[in-house]
Amino acid sequence: VGHSTLRLLSGADYAPNPPDSSMEKMKSLLKSALNAGCFGMTTGLEYTPGQFAGDEELIALAKIVGQYKGLIMSHMRSEDDEAIENSIRELLQQGQYCNVHIAHLKVVYGKGIDRAEQVLQLINQPRESAFSITADLYPYTASYTGIGIVFPQWAKAPYNYDKVKASRRAELLEFLRNKVISRNGPEATLLGTAPYAGKTLAEVSREKGKAFEKVLLEDIGPTGASGAYFVMNEALQQRLLQDPKVMVCSDGSPTMRHPRGYGSFAKIIETYVQEKQLFPLHEAIRKMTALPAKTLGLKDRGTLKIGKKADLLIFRPENVKAKATFVEPHLLAEGFDWVIINGKIALTEGKLQQARSGKLLRKE
């Protein structure tokens, strides 16, 4: 269950300090969701309204998640290099009461293996808590999210953007310019929403004949587009991926213009196992099957064993190719010959079958 959803449904909305009535409603809604089979709670602390939550609120909810033996999976408050360690420490505070998980671990602007080691040392430090900390990571150096990520909080909900644009125009332009430059410039922002899909912010700027910050302020706004942002370092991210606690995710969807939705798992096998030999195939498979199943508490999935659900993927590693690119992000991977879901064939030699044997998974 989403923490931001709990805030909105409880009436807490954007309040930094929710009234007691809203807090009690949040707790009640969380318990209902956990009773209904949710695996835990997700937080999006870099986004509104989640970013308004403080320690007291998050710890109160973590205690409830822990009572139900659940998991907090967090898009942390900041993934920027200068803030990543404080963001992890904030999550570790919640980890005194329940298992915690870092969603799509990255260090924005950070560089090199040594920086990765510093982050991993914080994650792997000895802990008095009995609860675990894990993470996931997608194998690309560009993130993907709404363009609001480059706008200041005072230009986003609950504030009125049109009023801010009119009353603080010069300040907003300066903020946007500095923010985008700090994120490797307009060339490193690849927009994924019509009418700009497939173009960088720099290209749109040239086409419109005005500065990129004016394009953002006048033509797009904080809710007007999504995009891929090339802000990560390959060596750093590779080292994070090697850690035994870090599993593989896609963080993708069928519609976003980012290859991670269609290519993440194939790329792990093609690039990091076959080409770079970053880790052996069995470790890659563990990161994509057994470790996620264990983290969520799926006891009958994730490994091959008599009595467990027959979710099987049959392939030859040397044939696996991630075809999706930033130009063509929706190309299916090649080399996955057979897919069997709950004991029924779903894909044979690259051809989808009619079987619909997937099931909604709930916490046991």
Side-chain angles (χ1 to χ4, degrees):
V1 60
H3 165 248
S4 289
T5 301
L6 296 178
R7 268 189 151 248
L8 294 173
L9 292 177
S10 68
D13 295 328
Y14 303 97
N17 297 296
D20 290 344
S21 58
S22 293
M23 198 65 225
E24 291 306 311
K25 182 66 173 177
M26 263 196 277
K27 292 178 182 179
S28 175
L29 289 166
L30 177 57
K31 290 176 182 178
S32 295
L34 295 169
N35 276 320
C38 282
F39 294 100
M41 181 179 73
T42 56
T43 61
L45 303 182
E46 194 169 19
Y47 303 107
T48 55
Q51 65 181 213
F52 291 99
D55 287 343
E56 185 176 350
E57 174 183 335
L58 293 171
I59 287 173
L61 297 175
K63 289 179 178 178
I64 293 173
V65 173
Q67 290 169 12
Y68 285 80
K69 295 180 170 58
L71 170 75
I72 288 181
M73 185 176 290
S74 181
H75 183 300
M76 297 184 299
R77 199 169 293 275
S78 176
E79 298 165 330
D80 291 356
D81 188 38
E82 72 276 5
I84 186 72
E85 282 146 326
N86 284 338
S87 296
I88 294 172
R89 290 188 186 99
E90 180 181 43
L91 184 59
L92 288 173
Q93 282 187 301
Q94 298 154 53
Q96 297 176 64
Y97 306 99
C98 65
N99 293 337
V100 292
H101 180 90
I102 301 170
H104 42 77
L105 176 63
K106 66 176 75 70
V107 184
V108 176
Y109 319 131
K111 289 181 172 61
I113 294 173
D114 289 345
R115 185 67 181 117
E117 295 287 1
Q118 292 169 350
V119 172
L120 290 173
Q121 185 176 13
L122 180 58
I123 293 172
N124 292 316
Q125 66 183 343
R127 305 175 63 223
E128 294 181 3
S129 171
F131 299 105
S132 67
I133 177 169
T134 51
D136 61 55
L137 185 155
Y138 51 81
Y140 295 89
T141 55
S143 62
Y144 191 97
T145 192
I147 199 69
I149 199 75
V150 303
F151 281 77
Q153 179 52 50
W154 43 266
K156 296 182 284 191
Y159 305 102
N160 184 296
Y161 178 64
D162 289 333
K163 290 182 179 179
V164 170
K165 185 168 61 172
S167 63
R168 303 176 68 174
R169 180 181 175 87
E171 184 182 2
L172 182 54
L173 285 171
E174 182 181 8
F175 183 97
L176 291 169
R177 180 171 182 79
N178 292 338
K179 187 70 170 179
V180 171
I181 289 174
S182 74
R183 294 173 68 85
N184 294 333
E187 298 83 4
T189 297
L190 179 64
L191 298 169
T193 307
Y196 312 114
K199 298 178 181 179
T200 66
L201 181 57
E203 289 172 329
V204 176
S205 173
R206 286 193 293 271
E207 289 178 3
K208 290 184 173 292
K210 58 183 174 181
F212 67 81
E213 62 267 31
K214 288 187 177 180
V215 172
L216 289 170
L217 184 143
E218 297 170 357
D219 301 289
I220 297 178
T223 61
S226 293
Y229 309 86
F230 293 83
V231 291
M232 287 176 270
N233 175 257
E234 178 73 13
L236 189 156
Q237 293 299 119
Q238 280 186 187
R239 178 62 190 94
L240 295 177
L241 182 59
Q242 288 178 294
D243 189 84
K245 290 183 178 181
V246 177
M247 61 200 76
V248 179
C249 74
S250 69
D251 195 32
S253 76
T255 56
M256 71 165 55
R257 292 189 60 86
H258 193 301
R260 67 190 184 188
Y262 287 71
S264 286
F265 300 93
K267 186 175 180 181
I268 290 292
I269 296 169
E270 178 187 9
T271 302
Y272 298 109
V273 173
Q274 295 292 105
E275 294 177 9
K276 297 187 176 184
Q277 299 183 357
L278 204 65
F279 33 69
L281 180 61
H282 65 80
E283 174 64 1
I285 291 172
R286 186 188 72 89
K287 286 176 174 290
M288 296 188 280
T289 56
L291 183 55
K294 180 181 178 182
T295 301
L296 286 174
L298 297 172
K299 297 178 181 178
D300 59 355
R301 300 178 191 271
T303 55
L304 293 175
K305 190 175 181 180
I306 292 173
K308 292 200 172 188
K309 301 297 184 184
D311 294 339
L312 308 174
L313 179 59
I314 302 171
F315 63 95
R316 294 180 178 86
E318 64 272 16
N319 292 344
V320 173
K321 305 292 179 187
K323 306 296 288 186
T325 66
F326 285 94
V327 177
E328 295 184 275
H330 302 146
L331 297 178
L332 291 175
E334 292 181 354
F336 295 131
D337 300 318
W338 291 69
V339 177
I340 300 170
I341 300 174
N342 289 315
K344 295 184 179 180
I345 296 173
L347 183 140
T348 308
E349 296 181 352
K351 296 181 181 179
L352 287 171
Q353 304 302 299
Q354 294 302 310
R356 293 291 184 268
S357 56
K359 296 179 180 179
L360 175 67
L361 301 180
R362 298 178 184 272
K363 191 177 190 314
E364 297 176 13

